[in-house]
Amino acid sequence: MATSTIPANFVEQSNEFLSALVEWERNLPTISWSDLREEAQQGRVALLCVDMTNGFCHEGALSSPRVNGIIPAVVAAFKGAYAVGVRDFVLPQDCHTHNAVEFADFPPHCEVGTSEANTIPELADLPFANLYTIVPKNSINPFIDTSLTAWLDAHRHLSAAVVVGDCTDLCVHQLAMYLKLYANAHNLKMRVIVPENAVQTYDMPVVTANAIGALPHDGNFLHLLFLYHMRLNGIEVLREIA
């Protein structure tokens, strides 16, 4: 029988790397929306916001106070982008069928026709909400069986795609990675930018997870690790776009 390949002293061995991860995160750079103004006014910048819906922010089994906490930063990103000329706002959002297979892995959430599947009012009430392209999705990956691939095919001229929303290690990661890998595959010089202050993930402590029979999910650790993984793949991880 095969045994684990993880060394017995794995935790101790990982301390140096974890310290380096924390130091990397503490020194994330910041840019300004004005840095993107010229490209934005040429129609070459898009803001993609994934899963900022009621079901992850305000109500339901998967609503998270950590995700709720980034609402001001996400709204600020929308306003900052619009102010410099961005007019492409794409919102891939969970809109699950009632019999979604995903509910075997996650509690039922954001079902079609429910308020959980609606864009949070903080974004829906912005005066330029008519510019939003809402992309319903039934999967963590927003490109599978959606209109988003066709949208991307039609926007190969983009020089920058900014990604905000939740969750850092799930839909944000899938979205940003697909954008970056698509650009690489087609030799497109498109920056994929993730501002740390406008993405977040949920937390499930070990004690809580054991009590309900779920898998633990350390929000701080996975947020940090997946930000770093995106950076390893050429995605620009910033502190914020001010």
Side-chain angles (χ1 to χ4, degrees):
M1 180 179 294
T3 58
S4 173
T5 59
I6 303 298
N9 62 342
F10 171 75
V11 174
E12 292 79 7
Q13 284 186 345
S14 299
N15 284 337
E16 183 177 6
F17 175 66
L18 291 175
S19 295
L21 271 185
V22 171
E23 186 67 16
W24 168 79
E25 191 274 341
R26 286 176 176 168
N27 290 285
L28 290 175
T30 295
I31 66 171
S32 170
W33 281 108
S34 62
D35 297 333
L36 299 172
R37 183 184 304 275
E38 182 177 350
E39 298 161 83
Q41 292 179 349
Q42 295 170 352
R44 300 177 63 211
V45 179
L47 178 63
L48 295 96
C49 175
V50 61
D51 279 344
M52 290 301 288
T53 60
N54 289 328
F56 292 109
C57 296
H58 293 307
E59 60 180 286
L62 293 188
S63 61
S64 163
R66 293 171 63 103
V67 174
N68 180 281
I70 66 169
I71 291 175
V74 171
V75 171
F78 272 69
K79 291 180 177 178
Y82 183 81
V84 297
V86 174
R87 295 298 181 265
D88 283 309
F89 296 90
V90 183
L91 286 69
Q93 297 179 164
D94 272 10
C95 191
H96 289 297
T97 57
H98 299 300
N99 61 345
V101 173
E102 186 178 298
F103 294 164
D105 301 308
F106 299 95
H109 60 280
C110 300
E111 294 185 46
V112 61
T114 68
S115 59
E116 284 190 28
N118 293 338
T119 306
I120 57 172
E122 294 87 346
L123 293 179
D125 292 342
L126 290 177
F128 51 91
N130 61 301
L131 297 176
Y132 300 170
T133 298
I134 306 293
V135 180
K137 62 187 180 72
N138 194 39
S139 165
I140 288 173
N141 188 306
F143 287 91
I144 296 176
D145 199 29
T146 73
S147 61
L148 195 51
T149 298
W151 180 90
L152 188 54
D153 286 339
H155 288 77
R156 291 193 182 188
H157 60 281
L158 291 176
S159 60
V162 179
V163 176
V164 300
D166 66 286
C167 287
T168 315
D169 53 322
L170 297 166
C171 297
V172 169
H173 181 262
Q174 294 273 339
L175 173 57
M177 285 292 295
Y178 190 99
L179 289 168
K180 181 60 179 174
L181 298 178
Y182 179 99
N184 288 352
H186 295 284
N187 289 319
L188 303 175
K189 293 182 178 180
M190 180 177 68
R191 300 166 65 189
V192 180
I193 301 171
V194 176
E196 184 276 337
N197 73 319
V199 298
Q200 193 49 262
T201 191
Y202 71 97
D203 187 65
M204 174 73 72
V206 173
V207 172
T208 304
N210 289 342
I212 64 175
L215 291 172
H217 186 278
D218 189 292
N220 289 331
F221 176 74
L222 290 168
H223 177 67
L224 176 58
L225 183 63
F226 276 78
L227 287 172
Y228 187 70
H229 185 268
M230 287 187 277
R231 179 65 189 90
L232 285 173
N233 283 275
I235 293 165
E236 295 181 48
V237 179
L238 308 174
R239 172 66 61 217
E240 65 176 323
I241 307 178

